[in-house]
Amino acid sequence: MKVLVIGLGGVTNGGKTTLAEKLKKMLPNCDIISQDDFFKPESEVETDEQGFKLYDVLDALYMDEMVTRIRNWIKSPASADVVIEEPQSACDNLKNVYILIVEGFLLYNYEPLNELWNRRYFLTLPYEECKRRRSTRIYQPADTPGYFDGHVWPMYLKYKNELEENASVQVAYLDGTKSQEELLSYLYSDIIQELNKLRE
């Protein structure tokens, strides 16, 4: 039995969750873990001097729990409620391979996670497009006025810069303004290549 762990990270509203869900339907024995499931309750999230809740930082998440969940899945993927879909023909010879897609906005800046990835993808968006998409989403708690510019975007840039400066972390950057179909097609064929390498 072989396991492939894929990180699908990057900018808020970049399309990570949608892409992960679509890939799950296309790939054999595929499961998803979402970083959003590991947010601390609002009462435990720090507030800065401007009154912004600091959700877009590692301290707002139970990262150790997330690492544990991923490690447990790697140890025993067959017991992880994986839905065995009828995969596309390219996957017919991959029945004994299990794929985990981990999607989230802060995946590659936490060292204990970095030893787990087989492949890392990072979705990017320009400022205006990201702000436009973010404004159409409803969050709990809701974004306060100025939150995107005062916290969300600066934290995205900070962590993206950290990532780009870390030469030891190999990341494939994806343009989030491309169509879902184009991104999906690229990701699917790239993951199939990784699966084929695993089998060799």
Side-chain angles (χ1 to χ4, degrees):
M1 184 185 74
K2 292 178 173 152
V3 167
L4 189 71
V5 181
I6 291 158
L8 189 55
V11 69
T12 178
N13 295 277
K16 300 178 294 293
T17 308
T18 309
L19 284 166
E21 294 289 351
K22 288 182 176 175
L23 283 166
K24 181 177 178 176
K25 292 185 178 132
M26 295 166 74
L27 294 163
N29 310 338
C30 185
D31 210 355
I32 298 172
I33 289 177
S34 175
Q35 190 172 36
D36 285 357
D37 295 340
F38 297 90
F39 272 112
K40 292 175 180 174
E42 192 179 355
S43 59
E44 289 181 41
V45 176
E46 287 184 36
T47 305
D48 72 3
E49 61 281 356
Q50 298 173 77
F52 293 137
K53 279 279 182 189
L54 303 181
Y55 275 104
D56 287 54
V57 296
L58 287 167
D59 284 346
L61 297 146
Y62 293 119
M63 292 302 292
D64 292 344
E65 279 183 28
M66 186 173 171
V67 172
T68 302
R69 171 98 61 91
I70 295 168
R71 286 187 188 284
N72 288 341
W73 188 97
I74 291 168
K75 276 188 221 135
S76 175
S79 67
D81 296 335
V82 177
V83 178
I84 310 294
E85 304 260 355
E86 275 306 307
Q88 296 182 354
S89 56
C91 306
D92 286 347
N93 51 4
L94 301 169
K95 298 270 190 270
N96 66 336
V97 177
Y98 288 84
I99 302 164
L100 179 63
I101 298 171
V102 182
E103 64 93 6
F105 70 110
L106 260 184
L107 299 181
Y108 313 129
N109 303 75
Y110 187 68
E111 210 41 57
L113 273 180
N114 272 332
E115 62 205 47
L116 303 177
W117 310 115
N118 293 94
R119 201 83 175 88
R120 298 178 188 88
Y121 304 100
F122 188 99
L123 282 150
T124 63
L125 280 177
Y127 166 83
E128 291 295 345
E129 176 61 13
C130 185
K131 189 171 185 176
R132 185 192 68 73
R133 290 189 193 182
R134 178 93 181 191
S135 70
T136 66
R137 292 271 292 275
I138 311 279
Y139 287 92
Q140 281 305 332
D143 281 359
T144 52
Y147 189 66
F148 181 84
D149 289 313
H151 176 60
V152 176
W153 190 254
M155 287 299 106
Y156 163 67
L157 293 179
K158 173 186 181 286
Y159 286 114
K160 182 170 176 274
N161 290 339
E162 273 179 24
L163 185 57
E164 287 166 346
E165 285 164 14
N166 184 351
S168 65
V169 178
Q170 294 294 304
V171 179
Y173 290 91
L174 305 174
D175 178 356
T177 62
K178 289 189 169 162
S179 72
Q180 283 277 317
E181 292 68 32
E182 204 173 337
L183 289 166
L184 198 59
S185 169
Y186 168 78
L187 285 165
Y188 178 75
S189 54
D190 201 58
I191 292 165
I192 292 295
Q193 277 184 336
E194 285 295 308
L195 288 171
N196 288 331
K197 277 188 222 159
L198 264 188
R199 286 175 48 245
E200 283 161 16

